Amino acid sequence: MKVLVVGGGGREHALVEALATSPLQPEMHAAPGNPGIARIAQTVDIPTDDLVALRNYAKDNEIDLTVVGPEAPLIGGIAECFWEEGLKIFGPSRAAARIEGSKVFSKELMRHAGVPSADFEAFDREEAAMAYLRTRTRYPVVVKADGIAAGKGVTVARTREEAEGAVREVFSGRFGAAGERIVIEEALEGREASIFVMTDGVNILPFLPAQDYKRIYDGDEGPNTGGMGAYSPLMWMEPATYAATLEQIIRPTLRQLALIGASYTGLLYAGVMVTADGPKALEFNCRFGDPETQVVLPRLESDLLELMLATNEEDLAGREVTWSADKAVCVVLASEGYPETSSLGDEITGLADVPSGVYIYHAATEEKDGAFHTAGGRVLNVVGTGSTVMEARARAYAAVEGIHFPGMQYRTDIALEAMELEEL
Ligand code: AMP
Ligand code: GLY
């Protein structure tokens, strides 16, 4: 059995590691991978947007299953590209991946499916969006570019002026085709959770929920990032709330996708706001979350590869996922200047000895002359596991203390609130 993972970040490192432990003993490949992944997989330097080169690699190397990490290739149609050649791939079709690729599509789908979500209006002209803002009496509102805008397409605007600025920015052309349409929606209040389910289009296999931290600084201050940390499970999320998320958000969305001929297979990620009125959907993603995957997969006891193969065979009915009782906490180590810029080529020390209960995933590193160096904004993901959040957190931060590179920055409050809840 040969398996190819597409992508080269911390999420893909966690995926490669989880797949490599399968009793099916797969030979692991990754494109492009990273120096951490290269320790456990054969890596090949193909960028994630070169769908034809990825397909040719899978064909030439007789890959049995390809697993896609990032959204862009899925939104670009990598699944169809592989299916044309009879190759197996874990991930949704281009039609189903629109649930992440277009906010307008996703909001309209939710409306038709009766999924609880923020009220919204969609616009394809700046003047119409501005006129709407003038009629609106209640602020804040959330302004979203329709397409994928490198995590910069969403603004929670406290005032009309701020909202107008965000609308102008989206229509300025700065986001390309992603900014041709816009969604303006009600701001929801509550706690956010990332919900993952594996689905063959009909059956769902829920994974454990996780929480990520999007802001750069402690206390959720500063600009948004790709994610500065995560923890799982969520002790604050009642089982009834989780069940309501599956029944009111996930299932109707999958039914609606099937109804419009865009049946979803793969991993569906719902970003959910748990409000005073129950869970409401914020957004959908067509792939695993980053860095949430890094706190979910280390605790998976079931065989991830077998589950992915079963997804493709539409054979998830009656299956269960088993988890260790451990908690997991991920601290992201970012380079100097992130998120505005990132410092490259700084030498990283302290990676040789990984303490027990700790996983270190490479997110943006390169190896030169036998040493690791920074190669992007989010450099490493340090995950601690333990029987309590306190233990998992202590292990993660103790491991962080042992790692150094110039300008290294990280949050010191990841899972702090979860630990406090645990103490109650
Ligand atoms: P999205 O890309 O839609 O997930 O938005 C990114 C982030 O913006 C979310 O993770 C939330 O923190 C925030 N956000 C998005 N939509 C809303 C909303 N309707 N109300 C409040 N916050 C939101
Ligand atoms: N953690 C947010 C995301 O993966 O989109």
Side-chain angles (χ1 to χ4, degrees), residues 139-276:
Y139 282 83
V141 294
V142 186
V143 178
K144 300 183 173 182
D146 180 47
I148 298 291
K152 299 203 163 66
V154 176
T155 306
V156 182
R158 277 157 304 197
T159 61
R160 193 172 105 198
E161 290 66 40
E162 242 183 276
E164 287 172 345
V167 167
R168 233 174 269 126
E169 185 181 25
V170 174
F171 284 116
S172 70
R174 191 180 149 204
F175 301 129
E180 285 172 5
R181 291 192 291 171
I182 205 165
V183 167
I184 300 180
E185 66 181 38
E186 159 204 17
L188 299 174
E189 277 176 35
R191 271 185 207 249
E192 259 184 86
S194 304
I195 308 292
F196 298 163
V197 301
M198 216 178 240
T199 177
D200 56 14
V202 178
N203 305 289
I204 65 169
L205 216 49
F207 274 36
L208 289 183
Q211 185 173 321
D212 71 347
Y213 289 78
K214 291 200 170 74
R215 304 281 181 160
I216 183 85
Y217 302 127
D218 283 10
D220 290 330
E221 301 283 343
N224 259 328
T225 71
M228 291 300 291
Y231 69 87
S232 178
L234 305 179
M235 44 284 298
W236 54 265
M237 195 173 202
E238 301 290 337
T241 308
Y242 185 65
T245 302
L246 299 182
E247 295 312 315
Q248 295 165 15
I249 295 176
I250 302 282
R251 286 193 194 276
T253 299
L254 291 173
R255 274 198 297 269
Q256 191 67 23
L257 281 167
L259 204 67
I260 62 166
S263 184
Y264 192 103
T265 57
L267 193 290
L268 180 66
Y269 160 164
V272 169
M273 187 75 91
V274 180
T275 72

